[in-house]
Amino acid sequence: MSLPHAILTALLEKPSSGLDLTRRFDKSIGYFWSATHQQIYRELGRLESEGHIRALPSVQPSRGQKKSYEVLPAGRAELARWTAAAQDPKPLRDALLLRLRAAAVVGTAGLDADLRRHLDLHRRQLAEYEEIEKRDFPPGNDSAQARIQHLVLRAGIELETFWIQWLTEAVADLPTVTDPEAQTS
C-alpha cells in the first residue's frame, strides 16, 4: 500500500510527469521504496481516478505531450492520514541470510564469493549515500524538511554501515562446510 503514498509524497514535493517520477524514484525514493515505470504509471491512473491527483492543464496540445500531475486536497489528506497511522515494522526477509542458514546443512561452496560480492555492493552504496549527504545536506541546511529528509538518508547510511561490518565479519569467519550428501554420492 506504500507506493501510492510514495507517489503522493514525490508529487507534493514537485508536480511531475510519470517519466519524471520514474527518474526521481531512480535517484532518491527508490533507495528505500522501488517501483518500475509501469507500476508508477498504473498507480498514477488509480490515484487520478480516486481524485487524489489531477493532470495539470497543458499549454500545448496533449497529443504526444507528457502529462504532469499535482496532488489534490483529497490526496494530501490521504497522505496525512497514512503518515499519522501506526504501522508495525515488517519482518526481515533476506535471501542471503536464508542461503547462509541453508549452507550450514548443504555446504558453503560458492558462498564466500557471493558474500564478498555483497560486501562490495554495500560499500559502493554507502559511498553513494555519503556523496548524496555531502551534496544535499551541507552544514547550515536546518529546515524541518531538510532535517527529516536527512534522517531518511542517515537510516540508509547506518544500514549500509551495519551490512559492511556484518559481511566483513562473515567473510572472515565463514567456516567451510561440505555437503554430507555430496560426499556419499
Side-chain angles (χ1 to χ4, degrees), residues 36-53:
T36 66
H37 187 73
Q38 293 83 4
Q39 289 170 318
I40 290 171
Y41 272 93
R42 188 170 43 246
E43 199 59 47
L44 283 170
R46 195 175 71 70
L47 287 167
E48 188 173 26
S49 70
E50 291 175 351
H52 290 166
I53 64 171

Side-chain angles (χ1 to χ4, degrees), residues 6-26:
I7 291 172
L8 288 171
T9 299
L11 290 175
L12 279 169
E13 290 172 345
K14 179 181 178 185
S16 304
S17 68
L19 180 59
D20 293 336
L21 281 172
T22 299
R23 289 179 180 147
R24 288 174 60 203
F25 264 72
D26 289 344

